[in-house]
């Protein structure tokens, strides 16, 4: 095991009464953490020196939000995208606490993603569809693609020249952006490829599969660098730290694992009380936010927490 960079970290739980956590996201400046859950409105917390405020509810977004993503571009750090299960994505402006645009989508939204520049916004739906909007004129998508397989997750690389889409067939489809030319297919997993992460330098990809493995891939030639099989159940989430050094991952085996992205060694493991349903590193430091589902059959409650240096 590598020297533990997390030995002085501790868990801080946030005030949360919205049921199972569906998603969470940091603002690009790291000042806000926002989460959506099964019950009630989206909640945001402002992180400040010495702690965090109790949080506020974004009631105008409604109570049916399942996916959240703050715009990663610093000039648009105030913009939050919030997708409901139904055919709508709302764009929220933190400066005036209101929705400034609604994007009509063609299917049941399953994943959302910003391009690194904040210029484009993508929505994947459960009916094998992909729509990409130009935020400068979001009234209608600039790309509408009917895919021949169900896409689980998608991400742009840091240069915004490549688009990666993971599929239920266990593959990663690689396309050029903005032309959407199909470049190659990565045979990543023997079962569904559930999730993908890209390190901030775009040197590595991490994929998580239903075969209970994480693959780390080179973006130079899309070759496998290493396979990590520390898991007992399908991998659901992967996310690179802001410096690219660590990969956080979660399955439903009540642990969050932090691996060194260069060596593949396990740097730290967090034990959790219920399945982790969302996780994301802080955009500037080694603080990890995560949310859980809780349990309807036991007293274990859903939580939103931050693992950070004390």
């Amino acid at each position: 095991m590598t020297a533990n960079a997390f030995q002085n970290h501790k868990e801080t739980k946030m005030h949360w009464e919205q049921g199972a956590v569906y998603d969470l996201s940091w603002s690009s400046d790291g000042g806000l953490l926002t989460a959506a859950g099964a019950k009630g409105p989206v909640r945001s917390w402002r992180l400040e020196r010495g702690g965090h405020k109790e949080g506020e509810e974004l009631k105008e977004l409604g109570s049916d939000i399942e996916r959240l993503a703050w715009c990663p571009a610093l000039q648009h750090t105030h913009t939050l995208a919030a997708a409901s299960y139904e055919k709508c994505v709302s764009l929220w402006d933190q400066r005036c606490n209101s929705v400034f645009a609604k994007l009509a989508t063609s299917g049941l939204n399953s994943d959302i993603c910003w391009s690194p520049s904040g210029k484009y916004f993508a929505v994947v739906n459960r009916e094998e569809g992909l729509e990409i909007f130009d935020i400068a004129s979001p009234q209608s998508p600039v790309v509408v693609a009917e895919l021949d397989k169900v896409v689980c997750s998608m991400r742009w690389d840091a240069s915004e020249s490549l688009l990666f889409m993971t599929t239920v067939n266990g593959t990663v489809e690689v396309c050029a952006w903005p032309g959407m030319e199909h470049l190659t297919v990565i045979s990543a997993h023997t079962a569904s490829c559930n999730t993908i992460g890209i390190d901030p330098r775009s040197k590595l990809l991490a994929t998580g599969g239903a075969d209970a493995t994480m693959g780390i891939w080179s973006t130079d030639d899309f070759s496998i660098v290493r396979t990590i099989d520390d898991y007992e159940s399908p991998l659901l989430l992967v996310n690179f730290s802001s410096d690219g050094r660590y990969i956080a991952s979660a399955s439903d085996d009540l642990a969050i694992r932090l691996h060194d992205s260069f060596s593949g060694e396990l740097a730290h493991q967090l034990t959790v009380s219920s399945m982790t349903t969302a996780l994301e590193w802080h955009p500037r430091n080694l603080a990890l936010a995560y949310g859980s589902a809780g349990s309807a059959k036991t007293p274990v409650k859903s939580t939103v927490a931050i693992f950070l240096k004390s």
Side-chain angles (χ1 to χ4, degrees):
M1 183 177 289
T2 58
N4 196 337
F6 305 100
Q7 60 184 352
N8 294 321
H9 277 52
K10 66 177 183 179
E11 180 188 67
T12 298
K13 291 185 177 181
M14 319 301 279
H15 177 72
W16 181 253
E17 297 178 348
Q18 275 86 337
V21 178
Y22 286 155
D23 204 3
L24 53 75
S25 180
W26 291 101
S27 61
S28 61
D29 63 1
L32 287 169
L33 175 65
T34 304
K39 301 176 183 177
V42 169
R43 178 175 284 271
S44 273
W45 300 268
R46 184 168 295 280
L47 280 296
E48 299 176 340
R49 290 174 181 252
H52 63 273
K53 290 188 175 180
E54 191 66 14
E56 61 177 331
E57 294 181 341
L58 310 185
K59 294 183 179 180
E60 188 179 341
L61 289 173
S63 57
D64 61 346
I65 300 301
E66 294 197 4
R67 291 290 177 265
L68 292 170
W70 283 100
C71 182
L74 283 173
Q75 66 269 32
H76 300 300
T77 190
H78 53 272
T79 301
L80 173 71
S84 67
Y85 179 77
E86 297 297 338
K87 303 174 182 181
C88 180
V89 177
S90 298
L91 298 181
W92 170 270
D93 190 328
Q94 178 65 24
R95 297 170 301 181
C96 55
N97 290 321
S98 65
V99 172
F100 68 89
K102 285 184 177 288
L103 313 182
T105 59
S106 61
L108 302 178
N109 305 317
S110 60
D111 192 33
I112 59 176
C113 176
W114 289 94
S115 69
S117 68
K119 178 176 174 58
Y120 298 104
F121 181 78
V123 183
V124 175
N125 69 52
R126 290 170 171 83
E127 290 80 37
E128 303 181 8
L130 168 69
E131 293 166 289
I132 299 178
F133 297 82
D134 185 330
I135 295 304
S137 54
Q139 293 78 15
S140 59
V142 294
V143 171
V144 178
E146 292 297 326
L147 308 172
D148 61 359
K149 53 186 71 69
V150 175
V151 171
C152 301
S153 182
M154 65 159 293
R155 295 293 182 269
W156 273 274
D157 73 332
S159 69
E160 215 163 289
S161 61
L162 296 174
L163 193 60
F164 300 91
M165 295 178 285
T166 72
T167 77
V168 295
N169 296 354
T171 61
V172 180
E173 308 289 328
V174 185
C175 294
W177 180 258
M180 288 297 290
E181 297 90 354
H182 191 270
L183 300 179
T184 191
V185 178
I186 304 171
S187 297
H189 296 275
T190 58
S192 176
C193 185
N194 295 329
T195 181
I196 187 169
I198 303 177
D199 93 86
R201 306 156 304 148
S202 290
K203 298 293 185 183
L204 296 172
L205 301 176
T207 59
D211 56 3
T213 66
M214 177 167 65
I216 302 177
W217 308 80
S218 167
T219 56
D220 290 335
D221 56 5
F222 305 118
S223 61
I224 186 71
V225 176
R226 62 183 52 85
T227 299
I228 296 172
D229 57 3
D230 294 348
Y231 311 93
E232 299 174 1
S233 56
L235 203 60
L236 305 174
L237 303 162
V238 297
N239 191 253
F240 277 92
S241 60
S242 61
D243 60 2
R245 179 67 188 272
Y246 298 100
I247 308 170
S249 60
S251 63
D252 60 3
D253 59 1
L254 304 185
I256 297 173
R257 294 172 174 84
L258 310 181
H259 286 93
D260 186 298
S261 63
F262 303 113
S263 68
E265 292 185 37
L266 183 65
H268 194 79
Q269 180 168 308
L270 290 165
T271 300
V272 293
S273 55
S274 65
M275 184 176 72
T276 302
T277 50
L279 59 79
E280 186 172 300
W281 289 99
H282 189 278
R284 298 187 177 182
N285 57 52
L286 290 180
L288 179 69
Y290 48 93
S292 66
S295 174
K297 299 179 180 180
T298 71
V300 175
K301 293 184 178 181
S302 57
T303 60
V304 173
I306 307 175
F307 184 59
L308 75 170
K309 192 172 183 178
S310 57

